[in-house]
Amino acid sequence: MRALNNFLKTLILLALIIPVTVSGVDAIPVTGIEFQVDNLISDPVAYVPESEQNAALPAETTSSAALQKFVEKVTDGQAGAIRGIYADNIMEFPVVQQPSSQPGYVSEQQDVVTEFAMAKKYGVTGILAHNFLAGKVFFDLKLNDLIQVVYGDGSTQTYQIVEVLQYQALSPDSPTSSFTDLDNGETLSATQLFKKVYAGSAHLTLQTCIQVGSEDSWGRLFLIAEPVV
């Protein structure tokens, strides 16, 4: 039975890396399916964070010093390319980009998040993470928290969380599922939800899945953050 479950999960993974736009419909990547180690896709960029060191930073280390240390880790000289996201005392994750042929790709690397290429086409910075990996930290973020987006040239842009949205996916493992707003019960298509969270004025959207019981992709969490000028 375990072998069968692993086989089925592999089939699901292969389906997820098919282009996310299906028949012109904008879709929402699935960010909650857990796979065994031998089924993981290799990341386009390998990164080993120093999470234990970060957790043990001395009390006198200021938040600005911690941010600067992280910036130095991820800087590669590529201006305009997002290389990291940071929230004081909550997260510091390097960012990888999706392969051009895999718009449903979400990194399977521990403590690494993925930039959502389709959102970028709409002028929005979308960050994806599985809820059993880096995405679990998204639940520690709250309204008014500040997030730093770090670029390859060492520059940063500050965003502030202005909205937290939670939806149930009516077809949990499908990127074209319809979704029910857990706040007001409104049902949206994948296209409608995509436009709500990944279109409009320039902003930052963090996405992961919500687990309920044994269903790890039961819903979707979106953190919407506006740029701080």
Side-chain angles (χ1 to χ4, degrees):
M1 179 62 72
R2 182 179 179 84
L4 177 60
N5 287 339
N6 288 341
F7 175 72
L8 292 175
K9 285 185 174 183
T10 301
L11 290 181
I12 293 171
L13 176 58
L14 292 173
L16 292 180
I17 63 177
I18 293 173
V20 180
T21 300
V22 181
S23 301
V25 177
D26 292 318
I28 304 296
V30 180
T31 47
I33 298 178
E34 185 167 7
F35 299 95
Q36 302 300 315
V37 173
D38 56 357
N39 289 330
L40 303 186
I41 290 179
S42 297
D43 281 312
V45 177
Y47 178 88
V48 179
E50 299 176 14
S51 55
E52 292 183 2
Q53 277 191 342
N54 296 333
L57 286 173
E60 63 269 19
T61 301
T62 65
S63 59
S64 60
L67 171 60
Q68 184 57 38
K69 184 177 179 181
F70 174 66
V71 170
E72 291 171 358
K73 286 184 189 177
V74 298
T75 296
D76 61 3
Q78 298 295 312
I82 296 175
R83 293 294 183 248
I85 59 169
Y86 176 94
D88 192 29
N89 295 320
I90 297 176
M91 66 178 182
E92 50 178 75
F93 297 137
V95 176
V96 296
Q97 278 67 44
Q98 295 176 317
S100 59
S101 61
Q102 298 179 20
Y105 172 88
V106 182
S107 173
E108 294 285 343
Q109 178 92 8
Q110 184 72 38
D111 296 328
V112 173
V113 298
T114 304
E115 184 177 7
F116 187 20
M118 192 180 299
K120 190 174 183 178
K121 294 179 180 178
Y122 289 81
V124 172
T125 299
I127 298 295
L128 309 172
H130 285 300
N131 59 2
F132 56 92
L133 294 171
K136 63 187 176 184
V137 177
F138 292 179
F139 293 92
D140 296 330
L141 294 163
K142 58 186 183 302
L143 285 175
N144 299 318
D145 279 352
L146 298 178
I147 299 172
Q148 304 288 340
V149 171
V150 182
Y151 293 87
D153 61 356
S155 63
T156 62
Q157 171 64 56
T158 303
Y159 292 84
Q160 185 170 38
I161 297 176
V162 297
E163 198 170 12
V164 178
L165 304 173
Q166 298 185 74
Y167 289 85
Q168 178 185 358
L170 302 186
S171 300
D173 296 336
S174 171
T176 57
S177 170
S178 294
F179 298 86
T180 297
D181 190 324
L182 297 184
D183 232 9
N184 58 28
E186 179 185 18
T187 297
L188 301 177
S189 68
T191 295
Q192 289 172 321
L193 181 55
F194 181 95
K195 290 179 178 179
K196 184 178 178 70
V197 299
Y198 289 119
S201 59
H203 64 273
L204 170 69
T205 298
L206 273 58
Q207 178 194 329
T208 193
C209 277
I210 299 169
Q211 178 171 351
V212 172
S214 61
E215 180 51 74
D216 41 23
S217 299
W218 182 89
R220 308 289 185 271
L221 169 72
F222 300 95
L223 301 170
I224 312 298
E226 299 288 351
V228 176
V229 180

